[in-house]
Amino acid sequence: MASHAVVVLPLPWLASCVCVCMVAVVALLASSPAPAAASRAARAPVHGGNPTVGFTEVRLTESNFELQRPYDEPSGDRYSFHGGVRQLWVLSSDKPHARNSHTSPRTEIRMTGYDYSSGVWQFEGYGYVPAGTTGVSIMQVFGAGETATTLMLHVYDGALRYYDRQVVEDGIYDRWFRLNVVHDVGASMLTVYIDGVQKLQAPGRGGDSHYFKFGVYAQRHASSCMESRWKNIKIFRKH
């Protein structure tokens, strides 16, 4: 489903070139794209589509955004929410989010009120990762059978990856991107879109209950400081 716009550029030397015989003209046309193909390329959309078509947006209030941060840090030292932008950061030396937890440092938002075990659900948000942040999860679909998560999106050296594996989107640093994650529980399938373009399909991992999370959660080879920013967070479901 992924598509990329192709711009057909004029050949600047063609106007000044004097064709001395029809053979040269035919050769030039043979090396150019077919008219139908060129027309299709010119019509290719620059931006992706809207993955939320056919879904219904659920109502969110601030009570649906539950902050998880190092247990010994005030929320203002690892999180801010100004001008509609949620800024979350954590240090690799920070404590876990709970005293009895043995997990890595995190500052994340856990979406509450819409845990699900069936149906088709979708997360949408605009994310931003500053250069230098690496070795970190910025979004999760929590809940699985034999593992903790069904999906994690990690950032390593400017690339957004499915866990620490295949690249979902390269060149993610220092730009806003629209992230849509669709979880079809019945089909056991997850689909990830960046700026409306499908970038990944991955199988589900079982589990009886799921929910969405976003922020920063340290992984292998984490940078000393990790940060992500988010705005316009929405949750949808398909009826």
Side-chain angles (χ1 to χ4, degrees):
M1 292 178 61
S3 61
H4 300 277
V6 178
V7 180
V8 180
L9 296 176
L11 302 176
W13 48 267
L14 187 58
S16 61
C17 178
V18 179
C19 298
V20 296
C21 65
M22 290 302 296
V23 175
V25 174
V26 172
L28 177 62
L29 293 175
S31 65
S32 301
S39 177
R40 286 194 299 270
R43 293 196 304 267
V46 175
H47 300 291
N50 183 4
T52 67
V53 171
F55 286 77
T56 300
E57 182 179 351
V58 305
R59 182 176 180 271
L60 295 177
T61 67
E62 198 57 30
S63 64
N64 298 113
F65 294 78
E66 179 184 288
L67 179 65
Q68 298 178 343
R69 66 186 191 279
Y71 70 80
D72 61 341
E73 297 289 346
S75 60
D77 286 354
R78 294 294 183 270
Y79 171 73
S80 71
F81 183 27
H82 298 295
V85 176
R86 300 176 190 273
Q87 183 180 14
L88 305 99
W89 65 98
V90 75
L91 306 181
S92 59
S93 58
D94 276 340
K95 298 286 197 306
H97 67 293
R99 287 183 181 274
N100 60 352
S101 172
H102 300 289
T103 59
S104 298
R106 73 182 73 196
T107 303
E108 292 184 299
I109 297 289
R110 187 259 206 243
M111 301 304 299
T112 66
Y114 293 102
D115 294 14
Y116 59 93
S117 57
S118 62
V120 185
W121 292 78
Q122 181 171 178
F123 170 92
E124 178 179 88
Y126 287 78
Y128 183 101
V129 180
T133 290
T134 192
V136 64
S137 169
I138 64 168
M139 191 273 171
Q140 302 183 45
V141 177
F142 197 84
E146 298 181 358
T147 57
T149 61
T150 288
L151 174 82
M152 294 182 81
L153 295 175
H154 293 185
V155 173
Y156 288 100
D157 300 322
L160 186 67
R161 293 180 176 270
Y162 173 63
Y163 291 90
D164 57 357
R165 304 167 201 170
Q166 69 202 74
V167 173
V168 176
E169 177 79 348
D170 213 349
I172 209 74
Y173 282 156
D174 295 335
R175 67 179 179 93
W176 285 102
F177 57 91
R178 178 162 61 109
L179 173 66
N180 292 78
V181 176
V182 178
H183 186 192
D184 187 332
V185 179
S188 189
M189 183 63 63
L190 294 106
T191 308
V192 176
Y193 299 84
I194 301 293
D195 296 325
V197 177
Q198 181 179 314
K199 295 291 186 173
L200 173 75
Q201 275 199 321
R205 296 184 168 199
D208 298 326
S209 182
H210 307 278
Y211 55 83
F212 300 121
K213 302 182 76 175
F214 65 92
V216 281
Y217 176 27
Q219 304 296 310
R220 295 188 303 113
H221 309 300
S223 51
S224 58
C225 181
M226 295 149 276
E227 177 186 344
S228 69
R229 305 168 196 169
W230 295 87
K231 62 183 180 180
N232 299 333
I233 303 298
K234 297 177 182 179
I235 293 177
F236 302 83
R237 70 174 303 179
K238 183 173 284 189
H239 292 285

